[in-house]
Every structure is written in C-alpha cells, then in structure tokens.
Amino acid sequence: MSKPENESIEPDTQAALAKVRDETAAESVERLEHPIIGRGIFCLAIVITISHLYFNTLSTLSELWTSALHFGLFGLLCTLTMPLYNARTAAGRRLVLTLDMLMGLAALGCAVYLIAFEDALYARGVTFNTADWVVSIVAVLLILEFARRTTGWFIPVLCMIALSYVAWWGQYVDGLFNFPGLSWETVLYRSYIGGQGMLGPIARISWTYVFMFILFGAFLVKSGAGDFIVDLARCAAGRFIGGPGFVAVFASGLMGSVSGSSVANTVSTGVITIPLMRKAGFPARFAAGVEAAASTGGQLMPPVMGAGAFIMASYTQVSYVTIIGVAALPALLYFLSVAMFVRIEAKRSYAVELDDGDTPKLKDVLKGGWHYLLPLVVLVAALIYGFTPTYAAGIAILSVIVASWLSRKPMTFRDIVEALVTGTRNIMTTAILLITVGLIVSVVSTTGIGNTFSLMITNWAGGSLLITLVLVALASLILGMGLPVTAAYIVLATLSAPAIYNLIAQSQLLDLIASGNLPEQAKAIFMIATPDKFELLNAPMDMATAQQMLAAVPDSFSSQLLDQALSPGVLSMTLVSAHMIIFWLSQDSNVTPPVCLTAFAAAAIAGTPQMRTGFTAWKIAKGLYIVPLLFAYSPLITGDFPEMLRVFFFGLFGMYAIIVGLEGFMENRLNVVMRLLMFPLGALMLWPHGTLWLDMAGLVVFLAVLVWSSRQGRAAGPAALA
C-alpha cells in the first residue's frame, strides 16, 4: 500500500499545497474547528446527506418541494460555513454569525413556506398576497447572496441584469432583443414558486445526479481509492522514459473520472506527480502545465464528467449511458494528445525513468487494492442493466463500503459518516451554483433570447460552421473568466446550441442532397420550393448546386425538411454533438490565461510563474480545440462504431503530427521544412474528406518521418539534446 499523501512530499511542495488549499477552500476554518459550531455543521451535513438519499430513493415528494428543500438546506449550510464577511473583532464575528444563522434559517423558511402555502396560491388564481411577495423576493436575494459567497460577484450581477431585463429594461431595447416585459409578480413567480427558475430542471439535476455522483466520489476517496489510482499509474507508466509525465496523465484521467473537479484533481494528484516529473528531469513549468491539462481532461472522462453529462442528458433527452458511451473515445483522444506532449518533452529534455525504492510494484498494488475497481465495475454494470443513474450511484456507494471490507483497512462507521459529510460539503458550491444559474436559464427560455442569440451568431458567421465555433469558443473564454465551467456550459448551451445544431444538421443534409440520397419524403418539400430543379435530386450534384437548392427552401420549411431527411437517431446525436462541442470548449477557461484556476493551482505546487504556467497548460491542452472540430465535421459521435474508430485512429496520428509541428521535435529536432510539413499532414488525417487512401497516405508519410527522426535521434545521442 502507498504511503500517506504528505509523507513523501518535499517541504516546499507541502507549503505550496497548503497555500492552494487555503486559496480554494470553500469553508471558514475557524467555524469548522469551533467545538460547537463545527459539530453543528457536521450534524447538518449528515442530515442533508440522509435527506437527499431519501429524496433519490423512497421519497414521494414532488420535484418542486424537493428542490425547495434542496435550496433551503444547502442555503443554511452555506451561511454556516461561509461567513457574510470576515470580521476582525470577537463582537463582529458574533454579529456575523447571528446574521448568517438568520439568513440560513430564512432560506429554509422560504422552502417550508412554499410547501405549506403552494395550494393556497393556486386557489387564489396565482395572485400574490403580501407573504408571497416577501418570500419570493427574499428567496431570490438569498440565492444571489449565496452565489456571491461561493463564486464571487459575476453570477449574481448577471442574474440581476437578466431578471431586470425581463421585467423592466427589455422593452427599451431596439431590434432583435426587444422584449415587451412581464410584471414583477410574474417574474418572481417564475423565479421561485413556479418551479421554472431556482427550483427548475437545473436544480433537479443538482439534487439527483450531481449529488449522488459527488457523494460516490467522496466515498471512493475516503476508502483509499485515490492512493490506489496514483500507485497504479506509477506502476503502469512510471518506469518508462518520461514515465512520471505519463503517470500525471493516467492518474489525472482516473481521478478526474471520479472527482469531476479539475482544481481538486490538480491538488490531489499534482502534489505527487509534479515532484516526480521534476525529479525525472522535466522542466518545472512543463510539469505544472501537464498536470493542469490532464486534470482539466478529468472533466471530460466518463463516467462522471463533472455535472456536464447529467445536464447534457437533461437538455438533449438522450440517455446518460449513451452520452458517456460516445464521450469515451474523445476523452481518450484528449489524454493521448497530452501524453504526446509528454513523450516529445521527455525526448527533448532527456527525462529519465524513475526506478527507485519508492516506486511500487504492480503486483503489490493490485494485490492490495484490486477491490477499489469493483465500485466502478458495479456502477457501469448497473447503468447497462437499466438502473437510473441515481440508483446506480446509490448501488455503487454501497459497493464501495462492501469492497473496502476486502482490504486491510475496511471502512468503519466513522469513515462512512465522514464520507457523508465530505460529499455534502463538496457539493455545496455546485448546488448553489446550479440553483442560481436556473434563474438565467429561466430568463432565456421565457424571452426566447436563446434562439435570437443563435440567429445572431449564424448571421455573424455568414452560415459558416467553423466561424460559429470560433465565436462560441471566444464567448466561452470570456464567460469562463467569471463563471465556473459548469455554469459557462449551461449558459452557452442555452444560447448557442441551437445554432451549432442547425449548422451541423444542414451540413449532413447537404451531403445527402449532393450524393443524390435524399429520402423521398424530403424530396416532396423541394417539389414545393424549387419545382423547376426537382429532377436534379435524383442524381449526384456538386456542392454549390446543393447549397443553392437548400437556400431556395423557405425558413418555415427548414425544420420539417430536417425531420424528413434525417432519422430521429441522427438528429438526437447531432444535438449531442452540438452540446459536446460547447461542453469541451467550456473547459478552456481552466487552462487559458488570464483566468485559469487549474493552471494556477499547479503553478503553486511547482513554484512556477502563474501566467507563464497558464500559457504552457494552454498549449498542452490543444485537444480542447481540435476534438470539437471532429465533433462538428466527422462522425466521431454521430457515426456507427467502425466509423468512430476510423476517425479516432487517424485523428490520433493527425493530432500527433500537429503537436510535432508545434513543438518542432519528434524523436529528434526537426528542421523548418519538416516542421512545417507536419501541419498539412496532420490536417490531412484529421479532415473528414471520407477518402481512405488519403488518410493512409498521410499515415504512411508520418510514420516514415517518425522512423527517420528516431534514427536521427539515436545517431545524435544525448549530446544533441542538450
């Protein structure tokens, strides 16, 4: 078994880790360590966990009432763990504690009021009385305050702008975004009591899927699975040249699939992998960049994918199992792209393999920790068998406890209780965030601003899918400076998913028209729109003619044409592709300066400049931008399994070629001509031209260069790499 986490960590690294934890902690240490308040928070967390387990298993409460209790309970926990402000005097701290307790109880009281008086409101014809006004206003103000405490000012300000737009200043806006306006009574009803804002579908995702899977992750970590994952990665990759870099990629992928948080992933695995990489000979900044890029990929790795997979399933109405199934190959492609950077840097820096006494043996690791894999097997099996994700997560949690009894240190009752508390505290920020973002989603759906925004993007892009993706990527980066990844994905998906979906679907439709394979029921629409050119549909045509024919179809028939031409399954997976593009692009704020918290956390551990580390992580995470292009232009998600494998295979070598071009190094330094050759060579294998011999030609040339570079590297020897 592995050593305790901090036992083998250098003192400087321990100090940096403590700094990171202080900067990213969501709780007030003083209150948590208080003998009375700390115990109260501990007991409250247990109550919240047990109540949510009940909500997800045996409860017969309505979803609205459950969402209200979810808001009230986590609101109370938020006020107790995160003070209103940091008072410096004892009297000031007592005043703040009193105010916090009153605000927390007010949040719980708002939930109880909704449950008790909802029927009375409808009996009055949904006409507010004084109490309804007070409770609705207080509930909205409280969630904005809770969001300020957990994520800063950006989200509360954005919510206030959105709500005031609906009720007030939207009527004064000219053009596409003009909105006549709703009364404040209607706005408050939709925001709270009506279950369309704070307590809407996003809140339901929070108290079901997200809560259960974060709790599952807390149990896994408490059982010791985190140490097992790192040790397994060290065994699998630690003895290769540059192996510690591969350990970072492997460990972060496995840990991220459980934790779903890139910063937590960095802090938990980076304290081991970054010193290992530095010891092997990797530059410190590169080591931090690899850890940040790999930890960001943890959000993309099934089965958890942060909260993204659950929200995506809710938006697209495609099953969670299907989403994590199609997400597997792209996630693997991303991690392999990070490993390519590691391989190249290992050869360039002449990084060595580590083979010291601290490196565990695979046999010993598996013998002592094979049981940690059982919960993941149980989870996947339960999902495949047909259990809902919440029930599957519940079964997996029980399997963690049972599996721990197969180890030398089985989970005790105290361990189970601490895992319950840790899971609840881990989800608090996410719960508050999702409840708050529900207000923005409600405004977007009420005003139709999402479709308007999509049309605006399409107009700006001139109907170009590539330009649309660039605009969405820029919007994602800007939003990511103020919003966490999950919130940025929700907002962007609400605003821009329709535009991307329509453009991808139209691209597929153009291919059918150009190939002469348009279904007969879809041809009937062209009989009405372009009767003089109808006969052209019976034979293949060039793409320009196909675009002209499609442009002749009135906008009012566009949706019907897509439904007639493309099967429901293709349309569903096209929608998943659109959301997957946005979800991947939303991750870029983790590693893209000026705001890249994951890279900053890695920089603190490595002791490197934050901004320069951010740029290094941004370079290494290039898969975040290349893979979404495959979602848009290739059948990586929408195709059958052989098509997906083909795109994956050639995309892997195409991405390697581009990375070689960026680094100017393969197995040896490349001259300018060979370096420039890598970019069109990579594009040839990545571009979905559908011609197998072109892909094969590109692969043969790339492999030939690889062999040549390897021979050059062996001939030059270590001296040439200095």
Side-chain angles (χ1 to χ4, degrees), residues 182-205:
L182 301 174
S183 66
W184 276 110
E185 182 181 34
T186 303
V187 171
L188 290 173
Y189 170 78
R190 290 175 176 267
S191 298
Y192 183 63
I193 298 178
Q196 300 171 7
M198 293 168 50
L199 311 182
I202 306 300
R204 180 181 179 277
I205 293 170

Side-chain angles (χ1 to χ4, degrees), residues 437-526:
V437 169
L439 291 171
I440 301 174
V441 174
S442 175
V443 169
V444 171
S445 61
T446 299
T447 60
I449 200 172
N451 291 330
T452 303
F453 187 80
S454 294
L455 290 173
M456 185 177 67
I457 289 180
T458 304
N459 290 334
W460 284 355
S464 169
L465 177 58
L466 179 60
I467 297 178
T468 299
L469 296 181
V470 172
L471 292 174
V472 172
L474 290 174
S476 170
L477 180 59
I478 294 171
L479 282 176
M481 294 179 187
L483 292 176
V485 168
T486 303
Y489 162 62
I490 294 173
V491 173
L492 271 178
T494 306
L495 293 174
S496 59
I500 298 177
Y501 164 75
N502 285 329
L503 289 173
I504 295 177
Q506 287 179 12
S507 176
Q508 295 170 333
L509 179 59
L510 280 171
D511 290 338
L512 289 177
I513 296 173
S515 63
N517 295 322
L518 193 68
E520 293 298 327
Q521 61 269 26
K523 291 180 181 179
I525 297 178
F526 284 94

Side-chain angles (χ1 to χ4, degrees), residues 28 64 67 171 184 196 200 275 281 294 320 367 387 413 416 422 432-433 450 564 580 587 607 612 638:
S28 168
L64 177 62
S67 297
Q171 58 188 313
W184 276 110
Q196 300 171 7
Y320 168 79
K367 182 179 178 180
F387 285 97
F413 178 76
I416 295 172
T422 300
I432 296 298
L433 169 66
Q564 295 293 336
M580 199 71 76
Q587 309 299 320
R612 294 183 65 188
T638 57

Side-chain angles (χ1 to χ4, degrees), residues 142-172:
L142 284 175
I143 195 60
L144 295 181
E145 165 59 18
F146 300 156
R148 181 197 65 81
R149 299 188 189 197
T150 54
T151 62
W153 277 104
F154 189 89
I155 293 179
V157 170
L158 190 62
C159 288
M160 288 187 287
I161 293 174
L163 293 175
S164 61
Y165 167 78
V166 176
W168 172 42
W169 59 270
Q171 58 188 313
Y172 302 112

Side-chain angles (χ1 to χ4, degrees), residues 225-299:
D227 292 335
F228 168 73
I229 287 173
V230 175
D231 286 344
L232 184 63
R234 293 176 68 183
C235 291
R239 292 183 175 89
F240 294 102
I241 293 177
F246 297 126
V247 170
V249 177
F250 188 19
S252 296
L254 293 177
M255 186 69 75
S257 68
V258 174
S259 70
S261 169
S262 58
V263 175
N265 201 350
T266 300
V267 172
S268 60
T269 61
V271 293
I272 297 176
T273 59
I274 291 176
L276 279 177
M277 283 189 277
R278 293 176 63 184
K279 186 176 180 182
F282 285 101
R285 181 155 51 91
F286 180 83
V290 166
E291 179 58 42
S295 295
T296 297
Q299 297 274 84

